[in-house]
Amino acid sequence: MATLLHIDSSVFPGEASSSRSVAAAFREAWEEQHPEGTVVYRDLATDPVPHITADAWSAGNAAPSARTPEQSAAFAARVELVEELERADAVLIGAPMYNYSIPSTLKAWLDNVILLGRTTGETPSAQGKPVVVVASRGGSYAPGTPREGYEFVQNYLEAVLEGSLGLDLEFIVPELTMAPRNPAMSELVPLYEASRERAFGDATAKAKELAERLAA
C-alpha cells in the first residue's frame, strides 16, 4: 500500500488558502487511486515542529552513547520526522510565499529532516522519492516579470529538496492569489482565475500520473 506524506504550512485554513486547496485536490485524487493507502498528515501551522536547537543539531554529530539526555530527546524528535519522510512513497508540500520566501514553520521542518550522513550526503536515504510542491504566491514572479528576482521559494526548495535530499521535485504554482482581494490588482483577476484552474488541473493530473508511476 502506498504512503503519501502530506505537509501544509499556510497560516490560513481550508479554502482561504490556495496552497491548502490545491494540495487537497492532489490528495483527493491520490486517495482515489490508493483507496487502501495511507496518508501521513502534518499541519505545520497548527502543530509546528520544534525549530532546530543546539542539542538537536549537535546530537547528529555525536555517538549515541555520548549524547546528553537533552540531545537524545531532541534528536529523537528529528528522527521521527526523518522516518516519516523515508517511509513515504511520495511527498506533497503546501508552500505559500510569505515575504518572498517559505513559512518559517516549513523551514523548521526542513532543518529537522536534513540530516548529514542520512538524508543528505553521498547516499541520501530518500533519494529519488517524488515530491510535489504547491508553491502559491500573491503576485507573479515568473521569468520576465518585474519581480522575477524576488522569487526565493522555488529556487530555495530546488536547492534543498532536489540538491540536498535528492528528491524528484515537481512544482504546481497558483499565482496572483491576492488579485481578488486587492483592488489595485483587479485587472489581473482573469489571470488569477486561469492560474487557479490550471493549478487544480495539474494537481489532479500529477496525482494520477504519480500513482501510475508507483504502480508500475
Side-chain angles (χ1 to χ4, degrees):
M1 294 186 293
T3 297
L4 175 69
L5 174 60
H6 177 188
I7 296 169
D8 273 327
S9 60
S10 172
V11 297
F12 297 103
E15 294 183 1
S17 164
S18 291
S19 66
R20 286 182 185 272
S21 297
V22 174
F26 180 102
R27 175 172 170 172
E28 182 179 353
W30 170 275
E31 290 177 324
E32 288 176 357
Q33 302 297 314
H34 299 284
E36 298 180 358
T38 300
V39 176
V40 176
Y41 181 61
R42 281 194 176 271
D43 188 334
L44 299 179
T46 61
D47 188 19
V49 301
H51 280 78
I52 203 77
T53 63
D55 285 330
W57 187 273
S58 59
N61 300 315
S65 60
R67 292 173 187 152
T68 66
E70 292 78 14
Q71 285 178 316
S72 295
F75 192 67
R78 289 188 71 185
V79 169
E80 179 183 354
L81 299 174
V82 166
E83 290 179 344
E84 284 181 352
L85 174 63
E86 292 173 337
R87 287 194 297 263
D89 295 291
V91 184
L92 170 65
I93 299 175
M97 178 186 282
Y98 293 157
N99 300 315
Y100 310 120
S101 187
I102 62 173
S104 65
T105 51
L106 180 55
K107 178 63 163 59
W109 180 81
L110 289 166
D111 286 341
N112 275 279
V113 300
I114 296 172
L115 184 56
L116 184 62
R118 182 163 176 174
T119 60
T120 186
E122 292 185 6
T123 55
S125 57
Q127 186 168 17
K129 196 180 299 292
V131 55
V132 175
V133 175
V134 181
S136 60
R137 61 275 315 276
S140 179
Y141 300 81
T145 61
R147 294 203 171 187
E148 176 184 357
Y150 292 87
E151 207 299 308
F152 302 116
V153 172
Q154 288 178 262
N155 291 344
Y156 171 71
L157 292 177
E158 284 173 356
V160 174
L161 296 175
E162 202 168 51
S164 294
L165 296 175
L167 304 181
D168 182 7
L169 174 62
E170 289 190 85
F171 285 104
I172 299 173
V173 185
E175 62 178 12
L176 300 168
T177 62
M178 287 297 296
R181 308 174 203 168
N182 185 347
M185 299 175 66
S186 59
E187 64 181 21
L188 299 175
V189 168
L191 292 177
Y192 152 74
E193 292 173 342
S195 176
R196 179 178 173 83
E197 183 178 352
R198 184 167 56 251
F200 277 105
D202 285 348
T204 300
K206 287 183 186 296
K208 292 180 179 179
E209 176 189 337
L210 190 51
E212 293 174 358
R213 279 174 52 192
L214 294 176

